[in-house]
Amino acid sequence: MRVAIIGSGPAGFYAAEALLRRTDVKVDVDVFDRLPTPYGLVRGGVAPDHQKIKSVARVFAATAARPSFRFLGNVRLGGDVTVEDLRRHYHQIVYATGNEADRRLGIPGEGIERCTPASVFVGWYNGHPDYRRARIDLSVRRVAVVGNGNVAVDVARILLRSRAELERTDIAAHALEALRESRVEEVFLLGRRGPEQAAFTPGELKELGHLEDADPVVDPAALEGCGPGEPGGNLELLRSFAARPLRPGRKRLHLRFLVSPTAILADADAGGGVAALELERNRLERRPDGSVVARGTGEKERLEVGLVFPAVGYAADPIPGVPHDAKARLIANRDGRVVDPATGQAVPGEYVVGWARTGPQGLIGEHKRASAQVVAHMIADGTGLDARALPPREAIDGLLRERGVKLVSFQDWKQLDDVEVARGARRGAPRDKIVDVDAMLAILAPAQ
Ligand code: NAP
């Protein structure tokens, strides 16, 4: 059986591994990516100071070394290649295209200068080619990060890391330079619900207490009425933050709860960019199903900040030819089988894994099992499918080259990897990323 996987992030690689380790069916797997570089979220999403999480790339490289695996980088589905092409050349297709769009706050002022979705800032500091030219103005002293998830924590932490801490990471060189000149002194992390409902995880929260040049600030009153919490959990950590003395002269990370931005206010004098947030205080309400929601009290305050990063979740962008669930903002599916959103009927031979299937939930490792479950459906559904005659395996490469696509193989990527690692060594970093697709292709040009 021949399978195309679209997207070389964790969910795509886990699906490839589950397919390639089957002993009952021989599967050839071609993994496509719109970028010349593999690993998706691991390269472009995971924070540069989280090298341990990024080390999962070694597991994916082992999958890529399997003989029936091919990487076809620099190929965009819906542009260079169509779903129709894939149906002709493969028995089955797996979409592993992740979540590349942001969820919005839906409040007045969201589009103004210096209100920047977290994904843009994350893509920028991680050297994602799409965001290398993003304008991130770090000349302001106070910044708000809206949301209480791990992405919000990543954004706050990167803003507050010292130069020395950042230099040791694989942060993009342009971001390192800009952050070195940063004038940011105070970051406000804003949760709409209470400390007990925060989505960030204790491991990530704990790190905020170990920043070289910044201290977390928690008002003890914000923790009143909260239960004891788990040992080593968020509440215990927040209590320890609230109790500890602040080091003078350090930057501050204010963790605030029960507030929702209701408007982003522009400053006419500052070129119309962000001048402040209007915040509404919330109270918690328990619903009959046990869930706890934030309700506005009508009480407002003004928080002076010059930059706002909403970090309130991601969603999937529609891809031409791929059934999209516009309400859930995912690839329309039932249990990983792609369905027609109008009829609910399964689209034969098409599957979805990872965040494109579930939305932005679950840590990287959790998608290993989820991708394997979808692969089990593929094998169950695929009986007899391999009888359908396909063009020769390399015919797709010919088709793409005819269209002027410069294909990037896994071998090519290894060459780029070596260049990046060598560049990084000069500043004592694990790598210094090449952030421009043309520059990547120029390095590979003699081989292509
Ligand atoms: P998330 O964990 O779902 O958090 C989203 C946050 O945004 C929640 O606090 C949510 O509050 C808040 N929010 C949503 N809509 C809002 C609104 N209109 N106004 C104010 N706040 C709003 O999502 P994420 O942070 O994007 O992370 C996505 C996934 O990646 C998660 O599974 C996360 O753990 C994972 N991740 C892990 C790491 C790591 O270091 N391990 C790093 C980054 C991401 P409510 O709870 O009230 O809805």
Side-chain angles (χ1 to χ4, degrees):
M1 193 157 78
R2 194 186 305 159
V3 175
I5 298 178
I6 313 305
S8 66
F13 259 104
Y14 285 134
E17 177 64 20
L19 284 163
L20 291 167
R21 62 165 55 223
R22 301 285 311 191
T23 48
D24 50 346
V25 199
K26 160 126 180 27
V27 189
D28 288 334
V29 175
D30 283 357
V31 175
F32 291 79
D33 203 291
R34 70 182 179 86
L35 292 179
T37 52
Y39 308 144
L41 183 86
V42 172
R43 181 177 165 96
V46 173
D49 57 343
H50 278 174
Q51 290 298 316
K52 224 159 124 193
I53 302 180
K54 284 183 193 267
S55 68
V56 71
R58 282 204 285 269
V59 173
F60 303 150
T63 298
R66 289 180 177 272
S68 310
F69 176 99
R70 298 199 315 156
F71 177 67
L72 290 93
N74 199 33
V75 181
R76 181 187 290 271
L77 176 62
D80 303 315
V81 75
T82 66
V83 171
E84 283 308 315
D85 297 327
L86 295 177
R87 287 184 186 141
R88 245 191 332 274
H89 288 262
Y90 297 89
H91 294 113
Q92 295 186 334
I93 306 169
V94 183
Y95 303 108
T97 44
N99 279 195
E100 295 197 300
D102 286 276
R103 294 191 175 271
R104 293 293 157 115
L105 290 169
I107 58 173
E110 204 167 1
I112 67 177
E113 188 87 3
R114 299 197 305 279
C115 175
T116 307
S119 65
V120 175
F121 184 57
V122 171
W124 174 78
Y125 67 59
N126 270 325
H128 190 298
D130 287 3
Y131 303 106
R132 70 199 168 92
R133 294 202 191 282
R135 288 219 319 236
I136 308 292
D137 182 353
L138 300 172
S139 68
V140 305
R141 292 187 192 281
R142 289 156 63 99
V143 181
V145 184
V146 185
N148 253 344
N150 282 331
V151 170
V153 169
D154 280 349
V155 166
R157 198 180 63 249
I158 294 296
L159 283 167
L160 292 168
R161 283 267 189 220
S162 69
R163 294 170 196 202
E165 283 175 317
L166 290 173
E167 255 161 28
R168 299 193 287 268
T169 75
D170 68 349
I171 191 165
H174 57 238
L176 180 62
E177 205 172 307
L179 284 159
R180 267 189 196 137
E181 302 300 319
S182 166
R183 297 178 66 192
V184 173
E185 288 169 358
E186 284 187 287
V187 175
F188 295 82
L189 198 62
L190 306 176
R192 64 177 168 182
R193 296 191 289 161
E196 288 171 297
Q197 290 80 34
F200 45 64
T201 42
E204 280 58 38
L205 181 62
K206 193 172 177 182
E207 266 186 295
L208 299 179
H210 296 289
L211 298 174
E212 207 167 80
D213 211 13
D215 284 336
V217 183
V218 178
D219 179 357
L223 301 168
E224 275 168 20
C226 291
E230 304 274 312
N234 282 348
L235 284 173
E236 196 177 286
L237 288 162
L238 290 168
R239 287 198 176 98
S240 74
F241 291 169
R244 67 188 224 182
L246 297 174
R247 294 172 295 171
R250 302 301 161 120
K251 297 174 187 170
R252 301 273 183 257
L253 170 55
H254 303 269
L255 290 113
R256 298 212 34 202
F257 299 94
L258 292 172
V259 281
S260 283
T262 43
I264 296 169
L265 307 171
D267 186 348
D269 299 337
V274 173
L277 277 181
E278 180 188 78
L279 297 179
E280 180 172 10
R281 291 205 60 78
N282 295 329
R283 60 180 174 78
L284 295 177
E285 192 177 288
R286 192 171 291 276
R287 284 194 183 146
D289 66 2
S291 61
V292 175
V293 294
R295 291 270 178 254
T297 60
E299 189 190 329
K300 300 273 175 84
E301 70 173 281
R302 184 183 157 102
L303 180 69
E304 305 286 332
V305 286
L307 184 58
V308 179
F309 293 112
V312 295
Y314 293 144
D317 275 329
I319 301 172
V322 182
H324 188 74
D325 178 339
K327 192 160 166 256
R329 298 184 67 191
L330 303 171
I331 293 180
N333 78 95
R334 210 170 35 245
D335 228 11
R337 291 182 172 97
V338 173
V339 299
D340 178 331
T343 63
Q345 291 286 314
V347 179
E350 295 183 30
Y351 301 85
V352 54
V353 293
W355 282 5
R357 170 190 171 195
T358 59
Q361 332 167 344
L363 303 179
I364 289 171
E366 293 166 19
H367 283 273
K368 183 174 180 182
R369 241 183 80 186
S371 285
Q373 279 165 354
V374 175
V375 164
H377 292 331
M378 293 170 66
I379 300 294
D381 299 350
T383 320
L385 251 192
D386 46 342
R388 179 164 67 94
L390 299 179
R393 190 172 182 193
E394 282 77 25
I396 190 82
D397 309 34
L399 179 78
L400 291 166
R401 290 213 170 89
E402 265 170 40
R403 292 179 185 163
V405 177
K406 294 204 167 68
L407 288 176
V408 175
S409 67
F410 204 77
Q411 205 51 42
D412 293 334
W413 150 246
K414 283 191 185 160
Q415 205 183 321
L416 296 174
D417 188 23
D418 288 346
V419 171
E420 291 189 344
V421 170
R423 284 179 13 163
R426 281 182 237 148
R427 73 163 201 246
R431 73 175 61 241
D432 174 6
K433 287 180 188 164
I434 308 161
V435 301
D436 175 2
V437 170
D438 288 338
M440 293 179 196
L441 298 179
I443 290 171
L444 299 173
Q448 282 181 334

